[in-house]
Amino acid sequence: MELPVLTPKRHNQRIKRWKQLQSNRLLHIISMLRSFGKRSAILARPLVRPLSSDASGNGLLQLFKDRGLISQVSAPEDTLVSKLASGKKVKMYCGVDPTAKSIHLGNLVPMMLLLNFYVRGHDIVNIVGGATGAVGDPSGRATERKAMATDTRLDNVSRITAQLQRFFRNGLAYYEDKYKDSGNSTNEGIYTMTNNYNWWKDVKMIDFLARYGKHIRIQSMLSRDSVSARLESQGSLGFNEFTYQILQAYDFYHLYKNEGTDIQIGGNDQWGNITAGIDLINRVEQGTPHLKTDPPFAITVPLLTTSNGQKFGKSAGNAIFLDEEINTPYDIYQFFLNTTDEDVSRFLKIFTLMPLADVSEVVAEHNKSPQLHHGQRVLAREVTEMIHGPQKAEDAVIVSSVLFDNGTISQSGKELVRLFSSARILKQAKMDTDLISMVADLMQCSKSEAKRKVSQGGVYLGPARTQVSQNTSEWTQFLIDNEVLLLRVGKQKCFVVQMS
């Protein structure tokens, strides 16, 4: 199975359709906000349909386990399975603290679970922790977090809010464009973004302790992994971090009581904090009809690692961020293009909405000739399109093709400047620069090393890949539209240089 050829006509049709979807959705958002006034911003009330090709007799939870999106479900799991099987809509949330100015791919795994529920008609909520971010979550940390300036935290809240809204907006458009099955009945899902500072700012300490303190058990707090691990290690634990689980527990209670949110989703390291919320809800709501008919649940996703056990995240030093100011769409495309063969199937299941049968077909085709990287190309394009939209995904594909493929380069000089500027890898040089100086600058090596590379025939110029073994500053014959130079060093390094 070959990748479909994306002709200019077909590409323009897809872009036009995507823009129309975005335009229609924006008009709908405006209408919704006018109707609801000052309520929490509702991004979309889309018409969504089940992914019928992924239908399973074992239900949604088993499907998401098969996709590698679920690690643990709190008891009684059978109750949640039955609730979903009955067709009843559920509402769930996932929170993100503003510890950085962008979420990264590791944060995206619980968001992918939310997105899978969302496109199947269930309501989802994102919380940015404007309040909890000021305290600091000890989960998974051996030392206390450094204090963050208030202005920095507020800026992070604003940035992460925009990133999450964009992710679910683009994710929905990606689903509608590629995987929505028009043969099924219509369901509705609602996406809501909020900030837990909205309710914590009005909570008074004395009132909180008087109302909820008796329901919070110190023994349970001490037994949480996030607390016990720090107490048993050399690292100290401040009262702020010790009480963090109370804040997260109350978030769950607040949303359960006031918004009908009965499921919290998070990473495996959040299990203790989430079950603390379930415990609080069960104690405060004991005997109420609400608790009997709609008990709270915890669902955790596995922490993302590669096939060789490397963790994704800021602390691991290999995080890829969703903020385009940090990582471009090309960075994301290239990251997934470099996925190992062992991870292709798993990442297709986790990071795309591709039906499992299609995943199997892609992997089978990939396994016929792994050296062609068919699986990685499909994965990289799917993820980039879902996060940043089809236009930026197409741009990333072209940039990667120019740098690493052997095909004919059909783009104009002006278009190459646009593409490589957006990818933030466009190089600059003066027309009077000689080849050895340019190679030394681009490769960050000495001029003697650059001279050796040239003299040994390791440098190639222009789209024709003309081998050059002597120093030169005559560029005209190698330029695209008298402006852009392609310079290759060996088989692995390629630079696009704007000459001026």
Side-chain angles (χ1 to χ4, degrees), residues 362-386:
V362 170
V363 173
E365 183 66 22
H366 170 84
N367 289 338
K368 293 177 183 178
S369 303
Q371 72 277 9
L372 298 179
H373 307 297
H374 172 73
Q376 285 92 341
R377 292 174 189 272
V378 174
L379 170 66
R381 183 164 197 147
E382 288 277 326
V383 178
T384 309
E385 182 173 338
M386 179 183 64

mmCIF file with all atom_site columns, all heavy atoms in Angstrom, residues 362-386:
data_model
loop_
_atom_site.group_PDB
_atom_site.id
_atom_site.type_symbol
_atom_site.label_atom_id
_atom_site.label_alt_id
_atom_site.label_comp_id
_atom_site.label_asym_id
_atom_site.label_entity_id
_atom_site.label_seq_id
_atom_site.pdbx_PDB_ins_code
_atom_site.Cartn_x
_atom_site.Cartn_y
_atom_site.Cartn_z
_atom_site.occupancy
_atom_site.B_iso_or_equiv
_atom_site.pdbx_formal_charge
_atom_site.auth_seq_id
_atom_site.auth_comp_id
_atom_site.auth_asym_id
_atom_site.auth_atom_id
_atom_site.pdbx_PDB_model_num
ATOM 1   N N   . VAL A 1 362 ? -1.140 -0.283 8.059  1.00 0.00 ? 362 VAL A N   1
ATOM 2   C CA  . VAL A 1 362 ? 0.060  0.541  7.925  1.00 0.00 ? 362 VAL A CA  1
ATOM 3   C C   . VAL A 1 362 ? 1.286  -0.217 8.409  1.00 0.00 ? 362 VAL A C   1
ATOM 4   O O   . VAL A 1 362 ? 2.343  -0.216 7.758  1.00 0.00 ? 362 VAL A O   1
ATOM 5   C CB  . VAL A 1 362 ? -0.100 1.869  8.706  1.00 0.00 ? 362 VAL A CB  1
ATOM 6   C CG1 . VAL A 1 362 ? 1.236  2.620  8.772  1.00 0.00 ? 362 VAL A CG1 1
ATOM 7   C CG2 . VAL A 1 362 ? -1.163 2.748  8.075  1.00 0.00 ? 362 VAL A CG2 1
ATOM 8   N N   . VAL A 1 363 ? 1.164  -0.880 9.556  1.00 0.00 ? 363 VAL A N   1
ATOM 9   C CA  . VAL A 1 363 ? 2.294  -1.614 10.124 1.00 0.00 ? 363 VAL A CA  1
ATOM 10  C C   . VAL A 1 363 ? 2.683  -2.787 9.221  1.00 0.00 ? 363 VAL A C   1
ATOM 11  O O   . VAL A 1 363 ? 3.873  -3.059 9.011  1.00 0.00 ? 363 VAL A O   1
ATOM 12  C CB  . VAL A 1 363 ? 1.962  -2.106 11.545 1.00 0.00 ? 363 VAL A CB  1
ATOM 13  C CG1 . VAL A 1 363 ? 3.063  -3.022 12.079 1.00 0.00 ? 363 VAL A CG1 1
ATOM 14  C CG2 . VAL A 1 363 ? 1.765  -0.917 12.479 1.00 0.00 ? 363 VAL A CG2 1
ATOM 15  N N   . ALA A 1 364 ? 1.693  -3.477 8.673  1.00 0.00 ? 364 ALA A N   1
ATOM 16  C CA  . ALA A 1 364 ? 1.980  -4.598 7.770  1.00 0.00 ? 364 ALA A CA  1
ATOM 17  C C   . ALA A 1 364 ? 2.732  -4.113 6.537  1.00 0.00 ? 364 ALA A C   1
ATOM 18  O O   . ALA A 1 364 ? 3.698  -4.756 6.090  1.00 0.00 ? 364 ALA A O   1
ATOM 19  C CB  . ALA A 1 364 ? 0.684  -5.297 7.367  1.00 0.00 ? 364 ALA A CB  1
ATOM 20  N N   . GLU A 1 365 ? 2.300  -2.995 5.979  1.00 0.00 ? 365 GLU A N   1
ATOM 21  C CA  . GLU A 1 365 ? 2.987  -2.435 4.819  1.00 0.00 ? 365 GLU A CA  1
ATOM 22  C C   . GLU A 1 365 ? 4.400  -1.992 5.190  1.00 0.00 ? 365 GLU A C   1
ATOM 23  O O   . GLU A 1 365 ? 5.354  -2.188 4.431  1.00 0.00 ? 365 GLU A O   1
ATOM 24  C CB  . GLU A 1 365 ? 2.191  -1.248 4.268  1.00 0.00 ? 365 GLU A CB  1
ATOM 25  C CG  . GLU A 1 365 ? 2.751  -0.618 3.006  1.00 0.00 ? 365 GLU A CG  1
ATOM 26  C CD  . GLU A 1 365 ? 2.702  -1.553 1.809  1.00 0.00 ? 365 GLU A CD  1
ATOM 27  O OE1 . GLU A 1 365 ? 1.892  -2.499 1.811  1.00 0.00 ? 365 GLU A OE1 1
ATOM 28  O OE2 . GLU A 1 365 ? 3.495  -1.332 0.864  1.00 0.00 ? 365 GLU A OE2 1
ATOM 29  N N   . HIS A 1 366 ? 4.521  -1.388 6.357  1.00 0.00 ? 366 HIS A N   1
ATOM 30  C CA  . HIS A 1 366 ? 5.836  -0.940 6.834  1.00 0.00 ? 366 HIS A CA  1
ATOM 31  C C   . HIS A 1 366 ? 6.797  -2.119 6.974  1.00 0.00 ? 366 HIS A C   1
ATOM 32  O O   . HIS A 1 366 ? 7.966  -2.022 6.580  1.00 0.00 ? 366 HIS A O   1
ATOM 33  C CB  . HIS A 1 366 ? 5.690  -0.227 8.180  1.00 0.00 ? 366 HIS A CB  1
ATOM 34  C CG  . HIS A 1 366 ? 6.993  0.057  8.860  1.00 0.00 ? 366 HIS A CG  1
ATOM 35  N ND1 . HIS A 1 366 ? 7.755  1.160  8.566  1.00 0.00 ? 366 HIS A ND1 1
ATOM 36  C CD2 . HIS A 1 366 ? 7.682  -0.632 9.811  1.00 0.00 ? 366 HIS A CD2 1
ATOM 37  C CE1 . HIS A 1 366 ? 8.848  1.146  9.302  1.00 0.00 ? 366 HIS A CE1 1
ATOM 38  N NE2 . HIS A 1 366 ? 8.826  0.074  10.064 1.00 0.00 ? 366 HIS A NE2 1
ATOM 39  N N   . ASN A 1 367 ? 6.319  -3.216 7.506  1.00 0.00 ? 367 ASN A N   1
ATOM 40  C CA  . ASN A 1 367 ? 7.180  -4.374 7.771  1.00 0.00 ? 367 ASN A CA  1
ATOM 41  C C   . ASN A 1 367 ? 7.707  -5.044 6.503  1.00 0.00 ? 367 ASN A C   1
ATOM 42  O O   . ASN A 1 367 ? 8.681  -5.787 6.553  1.00 0.00 ? 367 ASN A O   1
ATOM 43  C CB  . ASN A 1 367 ? 6.433  -5.393 8.635  1.00 0.00 ? 367 ASN A CB  1
ATOM 44  C CG  . ASN A 1 367 ? 6.248  -4.911 10.060 1.00 0.00 ? 367 ASN A CG  1
ATOM 45  O OD1 . ASN A 1 367 ? 6.988  -4.044 10.536 1.00 0.00 ? 367 ASN A OD1 1
ATOM 46  N ND2 . ASN A 1 367 ? 5.248  -5.453 10.750 1.00 0.00 ? 367 ASN A ND2 1
ATOM 47  N N   . LYS A 1 368 ? 7.054  -4.770 5.363  1.00 0.00 ? 368 LYS A N   1
ATOM 48  C CA  . LYS A 1 368 ? 7.547  -5.333 4.100  1.00 0.00 ? 368 LYS A CA  1
ATOM 49  C C   . LYS A 1 368 ? 8.902  -4.737 3.726  1.00 0.00 ? 368 LYS A C   1
ATOM 50  O O   . LYS A 1 368 ? 9.773  -5.439 3.206  1.00 0.00 ? 368 LYS A O   1
ATOM 51  C CB  . LYS A 1 368 ? 6.545  -5.070 2.973  1.00 0.00 ? 368 LYS A CB  1
ATOM 52  C CG  . LYS A 1 368 ? 5.227  -5.804 3.118  1.00 0.00 ? 368 LYS A CG  1
ATOM 53  C CD  . LYS A 1 368 ? 4.284  -5.423 1.980  1.00 0.00 ? 368 LYS A CD  1
ATOM 54  C CE  . LYS A 1 368 ? 2.922  -6.102 2.138  1.00 0.00 ? 368 LYS A CE  1
ATOM 55  N NZ  . LYS A 1 368 ? 1.989  -5.681 1.049  1.00 0.00 ? 368 LYS A NZ  1
ATOM 56  N N   . SER A 1 369 ? 9.079  -3.457 3.991  1.00 0.00 ? 369 SER A N   1
ATOM 57  C CA  . SER A 1 369 ? 10.338 -2.762 3.671  1.00 0.00 ? 369 SER A CA  1
ATOM 58  C C   . SER A 1 369 ? 10.591 -1.687 4.728  1.00 0.00 ? 369 SER A C   1
ATOM 59  O O   . SER A 1 369 ? 10.379 -0.485 4.475  1.00 0.00 ? 369 SER A O   1
ATOM 60  C CB  . SER A 1 369 ? 10.272 -2.128 2.274  1.00 0.00 ? 369 SER A CB  1
ATOM 61  O OG  . SER A 1 369 ? 9.984  -3.084 1.279  1.00 0.00 ? 369 SER A OG  1
ATOM 62  N N   . PRO A 1 370 ? 11.023 -2.088 5.919  1.00 0.00 ? 370 PRO A N   1
ATOM 63  C CA  . PRO A 1 370 ? 11.203 -1.120 7.006  1.00 0.00 ? 370 PRO A CA  1
ATOM 64  C C   . PRO A 1 370 ? 12.136 0.039  6.657  1.00 0.00 ? 370 PRO A C   1
ATOM 65  O O   . PRO A 1 370 ? 11.985 1.142  7.190  1.00 0.00 ? 370 PRO A O   1
ATOM 66  C CB  . PRO A 1 370 ? 11.778 -1.978 8.143  1.00 0.00 ? 370 PRO A CB  1
ATOM 67  C CG  . PRO A 1 370 ? 11.340 -3.368 7.834  1.00 0.00 ? 370 PRO A CG  1
ATOM 68  C CD  . PRO A 1 370 ? 11.328 -3.466 6.342  1.00 0.00 ? 370 PRO A CD  1
ATOM 69  N N   . GLN A 1 371 ? 13.077 -0.206 5.753  1.00 0.00 ? 371 GLN A N   1
ATOM 70  C CA  . GLN A 1 371 ? 14.046 0.833  5.408  1.00 0.00 ? 371 GLN A CA  1
ATOM 71  C C   . GLN A 1 371 ? 13.402 2.020  4.690  1.00 0.00 ? 371 GLN A C   1
ATOM 72  O O   . GLN A 1 371 ? 13.985 3.109  4.617  1.00 0.00 ? 371 GLN A O   1
ATOM 73  C CB  . GLN A 1 371 ? 15.173 0.247  4.540  1.00 0.00 ? 371 GLN A CB  1
ATOM 74  C CG  . GLN A 1 371 ? 14.793 -0.102 3.107  1.00 0.00 ? 371 GLN A CG  1
ATOM 75  C CD  . GLN A 1 371 ? 14.116 -1.471 2.975  1.00 0.00 ? 371 GLN A CD  1
ATOM 76  O OE1 . GLN A 1 371 ? 13.785 -2.104 3.984  1.00 0.00 ? 371 GLN A OE1 1
ATOM 77  N NE2 . GLN A 1 371 ? 13.935 -1.918 1.744  1.00 0.00 ? 371 GLN A NE2 1
ATOM 78  N N   . LEU A 1 372 ? 12.185 1.844  4.176  1.00 0.00 ? 372 LEU A N   1
ATOM 79  C CA  . LEU A 1 372 ? 11.475 2.941  3.511  1.00 0.00 ? 372 LEU A CA  1
ATOM 80  C C   . LEU A 1 372 ? 10.739 3.842  4.499  1.00 0.00 ? 372 LEU A C   1
ATOM 81  O O   . LEU A 1 372 ? 10.218 4.894  4.117  1.00 0.00 ? 372 LEU A O   1
ATOM 82  C CB  . LEU A 1 372 ? 10.490 2.384  2.479  1.00 0.00 ? 372 LEU A CB  1
ATOM 83  C CG  . LEU A 1 372 ? 11.099 1.575  1.330  1.00 0.00 ? 372 LEU A CG  1
ATOM 84  C CD1 . LEU A 1 372 ? 9.992  1.078  0.397  1.00 0.00 ? 372 LEU A CD1 1
ATOM 85  C CD2 . LEU A 1 372 ? 12.125 2.396  0.559  1.00 0.00 ? 372 LEU A CD2 1
ATOM 86  N N   . HIS A 1 373 ? 10.652 3.399  5.742  1.00 0.00 ? 373 HIS A N   1
ATOM 87  C CA  . HIS A 1 373 ? 10.039 4.199  6.824  1.00 0.00 ? 373 HIS A CA  1
ATOM 88  C C   . HIS A 1 373 ? 8.593  4.595  6.531  1.00 0.00 ? 373 HIS A C   1
ATOM 89  O O   . HIS A 1 373 ? 8.153  5.699  6.875  1.00 0.00 ? 373 HIS A O   1
ATOM 90  C CB  . HIS A 1 373 ? 10.866 5.457  7.103  1.00 0.00 ? 373 HIS A CB  1
ATOM 91  C CG  . HIS A 1 373 ? 12.314 5.185  7.369  1.00 0.00 ? 373 HIS A CG  1
ATOM 92  N ND1 . HIS A 1 373 ? 12.730 4.435  8.451  1.00 0.00 ? 373 HIS A ND1 1
ATOM 93  C CD2 . HIS A 1 373 ? 13.446 5.533  6.702  1.00 0.00 ? 373 HIS A CD2 1
ATOM 94  C CE1 . HIS A 1 373 ? 14.051 4.346  8.450  1.00 0.00 ? 373 HIS A CE1 1
ATOM 95  N NE2 . HIS A 1 373 ? 14.515 4.989  7.391  1.00 0.00 ? 373 HIS A NE2 1
ATOM 96  N N   . HIS A 1 374 ? 7.852  3.687  5.902  1.00 0.00 ? 374 HIS A N   1
ATOM 97  C CA  . HIS A 1 374 ? 6.449  3.977  5.589  1.00 0.00 ? 374 HIS A CA  1
ATOM 98  C C   . HIS A 1 374 ? 5.643  4.275  6.858  1.00 0.00 ? 374 HIS A C   1
ATOM 99  O O   . HIS A 1 374 ? 4.894  5.253  6.912  1.00 0.00 ? 374 HIS A O   1
ATOM 100 C CB  . HIS A 1 374 ? 5.829  2.792  4.844  1.00 0.00 ? 374 HIS A CB  1
ATOM 101 C CG  . HIS A 1 374 ? 4.349  2.907  4.638  1.00 0.00 ? 374 HIS A CG  1
ATOM 102 N ND1 . HIS A 1 374 ? 3.786  3.778  3.736  1.00 0.00 ? 374 HIS A ND1 1
ATOM 103 C CD2 . HIS A 1 374 ? 3.305  2.263  5.248  1.00 0.00 ? 374 HIS A CD2 1
ATOM 104 C CE1 . HIS A 1 374 ? 2.469  3.673  3.787  1.00 0.00 ? 374 HIS A CE1 1
ATOM 105 N NE2 . HIS A 1 374 ? 2.148  2.762  4.681  1.00 0.00 ? 374 HIS A NE2 1
ATOM 106 N N   . GLY A 1 375 ? 5.802  3.451  7.873  1.00 0.00 ? 375 GLY A N   1
ATOM 107 C CA  . GLY A 1 375 ? 5.059  3.645  9.116  1.00 0.00 ? 375 GLY A CA  1
ATOM 108 C C   . GLY A 1 375 ? 5.387  4.966  9.778  1.00 0.00 ? 375 GLY A C   1
ATOM 109 O O   . GLY A 1 375 ? 4.495  5.680  10.258 1.00 0.00 ? 375 GLY A O   1
ATOM 110 N N   . GLN A 1 376 ? 6.667  5.329  9.808  1.00 0.00 ? 376 GLN A N   1
ATOM 111 C CA  . GLN A 1 376 ? 7.076  6.594  10.414 1.00 0.00 ? 376 GLN A CA  1
ATOM 112 C C   . GLN A 1 376 ? 6.518  7.789  9.649  1.00 0.00 ? 376 GLN A C   1
ATOM 113 O O   . GLN A 1 376 ? 6.114  8.795  10.254 1.00 0.00 ? 376 GLN A O   1
ATOM 114 C CB  . GLN A 1 376 ? 8.599  6.692  10.471 1.00 0.00 ? 376 GLN A CB  1
ATOM 115 C CG  . GLN A 1 376 ? 9.249  5.830  11.544 1.00 0.00 ? 376 GLN A CG  1
ATOM 116 C CD  . GLN A 1 376 ? 9.641  4.449  11.053 1.00 0.00 ? 376 GLN A CD  1
ATOM 117 O OE1 . GLN A 1 376 ? 9.127  3.988  10.027 1.00 0.00 ? 376 GLN A OE1 1
ATOM 118 N NE2 . GLN A 1 376 ? 10.530 3.778  11.767 1.00 0.00 ? 376 GLN A NE2 1
ATOM 119 N N   . ARG A 1 377 ? 6.466  7.689  8.325  1.00 0.00 ? 377 ARG A N   1
ATOM 120 C CA  . ARG A 1 377 ? 5.941  8.801  7.522  1.00 0.00 ? 377 ARG A CA  1
ATOM 121 C C   . ARG A 1 377 ? 4.444  9.005  7.779  1.00 0.00 ? 377 ARG A C   1
ATOM 122 O O   . ARG A 1 377 ? 3.977  10.149 7.906  1.00 0.00 ? 377 ARG A O   1
ATOM 123 C CB  . ARG A 1 377 ? 6.186  8.544  6.032  1.00 0.00 ? 377 ARG A CB  1
ATOM 124 C CG  . ARG A 1 377 ? 7.655  8.588  5.631  1.00 0.00 ? 377 ARG A CG  1
ATOM 125 C CD  . ARG A 1 377 ? 7.833  8.191  4.172  1.00 0.00 ? 377 ARG A CD  1
ATOM 126 N NE  . ARG A 1 377 ? 9.234  8.031  3.830  1.00 0.00 ? 377 ARG A NE  1
ATOM 127 C CZ  . ARG A 1 377 ? 10.032 9.018  3.395  1.00 0.00 ? 377 ARG A CZ  1
ATOM 128 N NH1 . ARG A 1 377 ? 9.529  10.237 3.254  1.00 0.00 ? 377 ARG A NH1 1
ATOM 129 N NH2 . ARG A 1 377 ? 11.285 8.795  3.108  1.00 0.00 ? 377 ARG A NH2 1
ATOM 130 N N   . VAL A 1 378 ? 3.708  7.917  7.843  1.00 0.00 ? 378 VAL A N   1
ATOM 131 C CA  . VAL A 1 378 ? 2.277  8.028  8.134  1.00 0.00 ? 378 VAL A CA  1
ATOM 132 C C   . VAL A 1 378 ? 2.074  8.593  9.541  1.00 0.00 ? 378 VAL A C   1
ATOM 133 O O   . VAL A 1 378 ? 1.268  9.512  9.747  1.00 0.00 ? 378 VAL A O   1
ATOM 134 C CB  . VAL A 1 378 ? 1.594  6.649  8.005  1.00 0.00 ? 378 VAL A CB  1
ATOM 135 C CG1 . VAL A 1 378 ? 0.134  6.737  8.465  1.00 0.00 ? 378 VAL A CG1 1
ATOM 136 C CG2 . VAL A 1 378 ? 1.657  6.143  6.568  1.00 0.00 ? 378 VAL A CG2 1
ATOM 137 N N   . LEU A 1 379 ? 2.799  8.064  10.513 1.00 0.00 ? 379 LEU A N   1
ATOM 138 C CA  . LEU A 1 379 ? 2.695  8.530  11.899 1.00 0.00 ? 379 LEU A CA  1
ATOM 139 C C   . LEU A 1 379 ? 3.010  10.012 12.003 1.00 0.00 ? 379 LEU A C   1
ATOM 140 O O   . LEU A 1 379 ? 2.243  10.787 12.609 1.00 0.00 ? 379 LEU A O   1
ATOM 141 C CB  . LEU A 1 379 ? 3.651  7.717  12.782 1.00 0.00 ? 379 LEU A CB  1
ATOM 142 C CG  . LEU A 1 379 ? 3.852  8.216  14.218 1.00 0.00 ? 379 LEU A CG  1
ATOM 143 C CD1 . LEU A 1 379 ? 2.564  8.093  15.019 1.00 0.00 ? 379 LEU A CD1 1
ATOM 144 C CD2 . LEU A 1 379 ? 4.987  7.439  14.891 1.00 0.00 ? 379 LEU A CD2 1
ATOM 145 N N   . ALA A 1 380 ? 4.135  10.436 11.433 1.00 0.00 ? 380 ALA A N   1
ATOM 146 C CA  . ALA A 1 380 ? 4.566  11.832 11.551 1.00 0.00 ? 380 ALA A CA  1
ATOM 147 C C   . ALA A 1 380 ? 3.548  12.785 10.942 1.00 0.00 ? 380 ALA A C   1
ATOM 148 O O   . ALA A 1 380 ? 3.236  13.834 11.513 1.00 0.00 ? 380 ALA A O   1
ATOM 149 C CB  . ALA A 1 380 ? 5.928  12.003 10.881 1.00 0.00 ? 380 ALA A CB  1
ATOM 150 N N   . ARG A 1 381 ? 3.008  12.415 9.779  1.00 0.00 ? 381 ARG A N   1
ATOM 151 C CA  . ARG A 1 381 ? 2.036  13.289 9.125  1.00 0.00 ? 381 ARG A CA  1
ATOM 152 C C   . ARG A 1 381 ? 0.734  13.342 9.916  1.00 0.00 ? 381 ARG A C   1
ATOM 153 O O   . ARG A 1 381 ? 0.144  14.425 10.092 1.00 0.00 ? 381 ARG A O   1
ATOM 154 C CB  . ARG A 1 381 ? 1.765  12.814 7.702  1.00 0.00 ? 381 ARG A CB  1
ATOM 155 C CG  . ARG A 1 381 ? 0.820  13.742 6.963  1.00 0.00 ? 381 ARG A CG  1
ATOM 156 C CD  . ARG A 1 381 ? 0.844  13.502 5.482  1.00 0.00 ? 381 ARG A CD  1
ATOM 157 N NE  . ARG A 1 381 ? 0.247  14.644 4.797  1.00 0.00 ? 381 ARG A NE  1
ATOM 158 C CZ  . ARG A 1 381 ? 0.614  15.083 3.610  1.00 0.00 ? 381 ARG A CZ  1
ATOM 159 N NH1 . ARG A 1 381 ? 1.605  14.502 2.968  1.00 0.00 ? 381 ARG A NH1 1
ATOM 160 N NH2 . ARG A 1 381 ? 0.017  16.113 3.055  1.00 0.00 ? 381 ARG A NH2 1
ATOM 161 N N   . GLU A 1 382 ? 0.261  12.202 10.397 1.00 0.00 ? 382 GLU A N   1
ATOM 162 C CA  . GLU A 1 382 ? -0.992 12.164 11.159 1.00 0.00 ? 382 GLU A CA  1
ATOM 163 C C   . GLU A 1 382 ? -0.906 13.042 12.403 1.00 0.00 ? 382 GLU A C   1
ATOM 164 O O   . GLU A 1 382 ? -1.805 13.843 12.685 1.00 0.00 ? 382 GLU A O   1
ATOM 165 C CB  . GLU A 1 382 ? -1.305 10.721 11.567 1.00 0.00 ? 382 GLU A CB  1
ATOM 166 C CG  . GLU A 1 382 ? -1.747 9.819  10.436 1.00 0.00 ? 382 GLU A CG  1
ATOM 167 C CD  . GLU A 1 382 ? -3.225 9.935  10.113 1.00 0.00 ? 382 GLU A CD  1
ATOM 168 O OE1 . GLU A 1 382 ? -4.019 10.152 11.034 1.00 0.00 ? 382 GLU A OE1 1
ATOM 169 O OE2 . GLU A 1 382 ? -3.578 9.805  8.927  1.00 0.00 ? 382 GLU A OE2 1
ATOM 170 N N   . VAL A 1 383 ? 0.174  12.898 13.168 1.00 0.00 ? 383 VAL A N   1
ATOM 171 C CA  . VAL A 1 383 ? 0.293  13.637 14.425 1.00 0.00 ? 383 VAL A CA  1
ATOM 172 C C   . VAL A 1 383 ? 0.436  15.137 14.156 1.00 0.00 ? 383 VAL A C   1
ATOM 173 O O   . VAL A 1 383 ? -0.208 15.959 14.822 1.00 0.00 ? 383 VAL A O   1
ATOM 174 C CB  . VAL A 1 383 ? 1.484  13.127 15.258 1.00 0.00 ? 383 VAL A CB  1
ATOM 175 C CG1 . VAL A 1 383 ? 1.630  13.947 16.536 1.00 0.00 ? 383 VAL A CG1 1
ATOM 176 C CG2 . VAL A 1 383 ? 1.307  11.658 15.604 1.00 0.00 ? 383 VAL A CG2 1
ATOM 177 N N   . THR A 1 384 ? 1.263  15.494 13.191 1.00 0.00 ? 384 THR A N   1
ATOM 178 C CA  . THR A 1 384 ? 1.465  16.915 12.886 1.00 0.00 ? 384 THR A CA  1
ATOM 179 C C   . THR A 1 384 ? 0.179  17.554 12.395 1.00 0.00 ? 384 THR A C   1
ATOM 180 O O   . THR A 1 384 ? -0.158 18.686 12.763 1.00 0.00 ? 384 THR A O   1
ATOM 181 C CB  . THR A 1 384 ? 2.574  17.085 11.834 1.00 0.00 ? 384 THR A CB  1
ATOM 182 O OG1 . THR A 1 384 ? 3.737  16.362 12.248 1.00 0.00 ? 384 THR A OG1 1
ATOM 183 C CG2 . THR A 1 384 ? 2.939  18.547 11.672 1.00 0.00 ? 384 THR A CG2 1
ATOM 184 N N   . GLU A 1 385 ? -0.579 16.828 11.582 1.00 0.00 ? 385 GLU A N   1
ATOM 185 C CA  . GLU A 1 385 ? -1.859 17.348 11.091 1.00 0.00 ? 385 GLU A CA  1
ATOM 186 C C   . GLU A 1 385 ? -2.859 17.513 12.228 1.00 0.00 ? 385 GLU A C   1
ATOM 187 O O   . GLU A 1 385 ? -3.582 18.507 12.293 1.00 0.00 ? 385 GLU A O   1
ATOM 188 C CB  . GLU A 1 385 ? -2.423 16.425 10.015 1.00 0.00 ? 385 GLU A CB  1
ATOM 189 C CG  . GLU A 1 385 ? -3.731 16.920 9.417  1.00 0.00 ? 385 GLU A CG  1
ATOM 190 C CD  . GLU A 1 385 ? -4.197 16.090 8.240  1.00 0.00 ? 385 GLU A CD  1
ATOM 191 O OE1 . GLU A 1 385 ? -3.356 15.411 7.618  1.00 0.00 ? 385 GLU A OE1 1
ATOM 192 O OE2 . GLU A 1 385 ? -5.407 16.112 7.953  1.00 0.00 ? 385 GLU A OE2 1
ATOM 193 N N   . MET A 1 386 ? -2.893 16.548 13.140 1.00 0.00 ? 386 MET A N   1
ATOM 194 C CA  . MET A 1 386 ? -3.832 16.620 14.249 1.00 0.00 ? 386 MET A CA  1
ATOM 195 C C   . MET A 1 386 ? -3.515 17.809 15.163 1.00 0.00 ? 386 MET A C   1
ATOM 196 O O   . MET A 1 386 ? -4.415 18.512 15.627 1.00 0.00 ? 386 MET A O   1
ATOM 197 C CB  . MET A 1 386 ? -3.782 15.328 15.062 1.00 0.00 ? 386 MET A CB  1
ATOM 198 C CG  . MET A 1 386 ? -4.714 15.313 16.265 1.00 0.00 ? 386 MET A CG  1
ATOM 199 S SD  . MET A 1 386 ? -4.544 13.795 17.220 1.00 0.00 ? 386 MET A SD  1
ATOM 200 C CE  . MET A 1 386 ? -2.843 13.935 17.784 1.00 0.00 ? 386 MET A CE  1
#
